[in-house]
Amino acid sequence: GESVGLHLPTLSVQEGDNSIINCAYSNSASDYFIWYKQESGKGPQFIIDIRSNMDKRQGQRVTVLLNKTVKHLSLQIAATQPGDSAVYFCAETYFGNEKLTFGTGTRLTIIP
Amino acid sequence: DGGITQSPKYLFRKEGQNVTLSCEQNLNHDAMYWYRQDPGQGLRLIYYSQIVNDFQKGDIAEGYSVSREKKESFPLTVTSAQKNPTAFYLCASSMRAGVGETQYFGPGTRLLVL
C-alpha cells in the first residue's frame, strides 16, 4: 500500500549546527506535504508545508525541500537550539483525499 | 495548540467501562479528526467528520464511537470493545476536508487502563 516513511528514526545534532530530517513517500499522487513537530506529551505542532508545484519553501530557520522525481521530502533546521529537540513527522495527502498519511517520526536531539 | 482543547489530560478506564474524551475547537473549522498514537509510533486515524451530523471511519475505528452534533465539538467514546485502549489520543481540525489543508492538533489525552 501507499506509505510515508522516514529514513532515520533518531538524529543527534550539536547545538548551533544545522540538521536535516528526511522523509520518503510512495504515493505519486500526493501533492501536499506537511512537517509537524511533537514535543514530549504534547500534540503535533505545524511547522511548514509545501505543495507539489514547489521545490523549496522557507520559514523561520526551517526549509522544506521536495524532490518529486525520487519522492523525497526533507526538513532543514538551521542553527539548532535546545528547543528544537522533539519528534518530527512528515505527512502527505492529495486534493480530494480527506485524510493525512503520517510517517513514523524522527526523534531529533540537540546536544548542548 | 491553536484553539483546540482536549479534556481531560489524563483518563483512567476500568475493565468493561466506556469512557468519553472531549474535543472542542473555536476555529470555525468544518472538519475534525481523532487519532491514536502508541509509544514511538506515528498517528493512526480513528474517525473523522467533514461536517456536522456526518462522520466516517478511519483506519482503526473498531471499539470506538463518535458524534458530531455541533460544529465545534467532536467527542470520542472508547468502548469496552476496545481491548487495548492505552494510548495517547489526539484530536485535530482543519478548515475543510479533502482539499489538502493543514490539520491543527489539540494537546492530547492520555488514556490508561486500571
Side-chain angles (χ1 to χ4, degrees):
Chain A
E2 302 292 0
S3 65
V4 176
L6 295 175
H7 294 300
L8 299 173
T10 61
L11 178 65
S12 295
V13 174
Q14 203 73 36
E15 182 179 353
D17 287 352
N18 299 334
S19 67
I20 300 176
I21 301 171
N22 296 301
C23 179
Y25 66 96
S26 57
N27 187 351
S28 57
S30 294
D31 59 13
Y32 180 56
F33 305 87
I34 309 167
W35 280 101
Y36 288 94
K37 172 186 179 183
Q38 186 176 26
E39 297 176 84
S40 182
K42 297 183 178 180
Q45 177 186 2
F46 170 86
I47 302 174
I48 192 168
D49 59 359
I50 189 167
R51 296 197 182 273
S52 58
N53 61 349
M54 302 172 69
D55 297 323
K56 178 180 179 179
R57 191 165 188 217
Q58 289 184 292
Q60 188 176 13
R61 288 200 302 118
V62 295
T63 300
V64 56
L65 298 177
L66 176 62
N67 186 330
K68 296 180 285 293
T69 302
V70 295
K71 301 193 191 70
H72 185 267
L73 191 68
S74 68
L75 176 70
Q76 300 178 2
I77 305 175
T80 53
Q81 304 168 357
D84 294 330
S85 292
V87 175
Y88 290 82
F89 293 95
C90 64
E92 56 91 15
T93 189
Y94 51 88
F95 189 88
N97 183 12
E98 301 92 351
K99 308 175 188 178
L100 287 178
T101 300
F102 288 86
T104 306
T106 293
R107 180 174 299 279
L108 175 66
T109 300
I110 306 303
I111 304 167
Chain B
D1 299 317
I4 302 175
T5 58
Q6 291 185 242
S7 62
K9 188 176 177 65
Y10 297 95
L11 186 59
F12 298 92
R13 193 190 92 163
K14 296 180 181 178
E15 292 287 341
Q17 185 182 42
N18 293 354
V19 292
T20 297
L21 284 62
S22 170
C23 178
E24 304 277 331
Q25 54 98 1
N26 62 3
L27 301 169
N28 199 32
H29 285 175
D30 285 333
M32 297 186 74
Y33 310 81
W34 273 106
Y35 292 91
R36 171 182 171 137
Q37 186 177 33
D38 292 284
Q41 311 243 342
L43 280 67
R44 293 186 289 168
L45 183 64
I46 305 173
Y47 267 99
Y48 64 101
S49 168
Q50 298 185 67
I51 55 171
V52 175
N53 293 322
D54 182 63
F55 49 83
Q56 287 82 38
K57 292 183 179 179
D59 302 317
I60 56 165
E62 185 174 351
Y64 300 97
S65 66
V66 293
S67 63
R68 188 85 188 277
E69 297 177 1
K70 298 187 295 182
K71 185 175 185 177
E72 57 271 21
S73 179
F74 191 40
L76 173 74
T77 297
V78 184
T79 74
S80 57
Q82 173 50 244
K83 299 306 179 188
N84 184 25
T86 297
F88 191 44
Y89 290 87
L90 289 158
C91 179
S93 70
S94 65
M95 190 169 294
R96 295 166 296 173
V99 292
E101 296 209 358
T102 303
Q103 292 180 19
Y104 296 92
F105 286 83
T109 292
R110 190 166 298 281
L111 177 62
L112 300 166
V113 178
L114 296 177

